[in-house]
Every structure is written in structure tokens, then in C-alpha cells.
Amino acid sequence: MHSDILDELYRQYYGAALLYILSLCRDQSLAEELVHDAFVKAYLSLPDDAPSFPYWLMKVCRNLYYDYARRRKWTADAPVPEGINEETPELLLLRKEESAALWRSIGALDRTDRELVVLHYFAGRPLPELAALLGLSPAAVRQRLRRARGKMRKIMEEDGYEV
């Protein structure tokens, strides 16, 4: 693989991988480090029969995070990530509040549901890929996503947001 192809893959999938790892660890610097390591590992170890690079990358990200967590016996209690940049202070405040409420609702989900929500809705991964990645059936993935959306809706409504 040429460096220009690797650069393109990095540009295309970095944001999704970072968001996924952030949903697991909630630590920006750790997430950036793990995503970088994941790209290196995914590039060096991509099997010929891998369904797709993004699938393989997310699998490597997940394994790296769980290896790290196992070594550190670490739990994800870091603050919710921010990172919204808008033109006006009013819009910035509203976006930050909405974003924080959304991240709180995602953070209230159990680990598997949180992974599913982030990978499906933010990283755009298809249901069959998620099922294979997490060892669930596609029907179980659909059901878990439906229940997760319901939990998130309830939390957002409790925070005063119309969903």
C-alpha cells in the first residue's frame, strides 16, 4: 500500500475511529493515542480476507481499548468530550448544551449499547458489520439500537430537550 493510500484512509476514517474510542474511554489524549496505534496495527495486519478496511480498523480500535483497559483496570469516568466551534457565542452555548446532553445520554448506556450507537450513528457502520464485530445477530443489534434510542430519548427529555 502506498503512503498516499494510507494518508487517504487516515483522512477518511480518523474522525470515526476517534469518536468510537472517545465513546469508550472519554479521554481525548488517550483516544488520539489509541487511534494512531490502531491505524498502524490495522495497516500492518490487515488480512486478505478482511471484509473492509473500516471494519478492520474499528475491530483493531476496540481490541486496543480493551487491552489498555485490562492492563490498567481502568474505568471510563472522564468528563464528556466537548469540541464544538460555531460563529456566535449564543449558538456555541446552545450547541455545547445539546452536545453535552447527547453525550450524557450516550454515556448512560451500557458499554455494548454505547459502542453500537457510536459506531452506527456517528461512524456510519452498517448493522451486519456491527453484528460481526460485537458477536451479536443482526436482529439483536437492531433491538439493542432501538432500546438504546429509547433510553437516550428519555434522558434527553428529562434534561428538558424535545426529542
Side-chain angles (χ1 to χ4, degrees):
M1 201 182 291
H2 293 85
S3 66
D4 55 331
I5 295 172
L6 185 58
D7 288 343
E8 179 60 31
L9 289 172
Y10 195 83
R11 275 192 297 275
Q12 189 172 0
Y13 299 112
Y14 177 81
L18 181 65
L19 187 59
Y20 176 49
I21 295 283
L22 265 173
S23 77
L24 296 173
C25 71
R26 300 182 191 173
D27 180 328
Q28 181 77 28
S29 61
L30 174 62
E32 289 171 355
E33 181 181 329
L34 289 174
V35 168
H36 174 72
D37 292 348
F39 268 96
V40 171
K41 282 187 176 232
Y43 173 70
L44 294 175
S45 65
L46 181 66
D48 292 334
D49 62 343
S52 69
F53 182 78
Y55 170 81
W56 183 247
L57 177 64
M58 294 306 167
K59 191 170 186 169
V60 171
C61 284
R62 184 174 199 261
N63 291 340
L64 279 174
Y65 167 73
Y66 284 119
D67 287 348
Y68 176 85
R70 236 185 330 273
R71 282 193 314 270
R72 301 283 190 249
K73 297 193 185 337
W74 185 71
T75 58
D77 292 327
V80 171
E82 293 181 25
I84 296 174
N85 193 8
E86 287 291 334
E87 303 98 45
T88 66
E90 296 83 12
L91 227 79
L92 178 61
L93 182 60
L94 287 173
R95 296 267 189 226
K96 280 186 176 184
E97 287 177 2
E98 289 171 354
S99 178
L102 177 62
W103 277 105
R104 273 192 306 276
S105 71
I106 292 170
L109 300 173
D110 67 43
R111 181 168 282 158
T112 302
D113 289 347
R114 189 169 55 237
E115 284 182 77
L116 287 171
V117 166
V118 170
L119 285 173
H120 185 63
Y121 294 109
F122 293 95
R125 306 316 316 148
L127 294 179
E129 186 178 302
L130 294 176
L133 180 67
L134 298 175
L136 300 169
S137 71
V141 169
R142 274 191 300 279
Q143 182 66 22
R144 288 189 79 118
L145 282 171
R146 187 177 308 118
R147 288 181 183 158
R149 284 191 310 267
K151 289 177 191 175
M152 291 170 58
R153 181 178 295 114
K154 182 178 178 187
I155 292 168
M156 297 275 298
E157 287 171 351
E158 288 172 358
D159 281 350
Y161 292 92
E162 289 184 31
V163 182

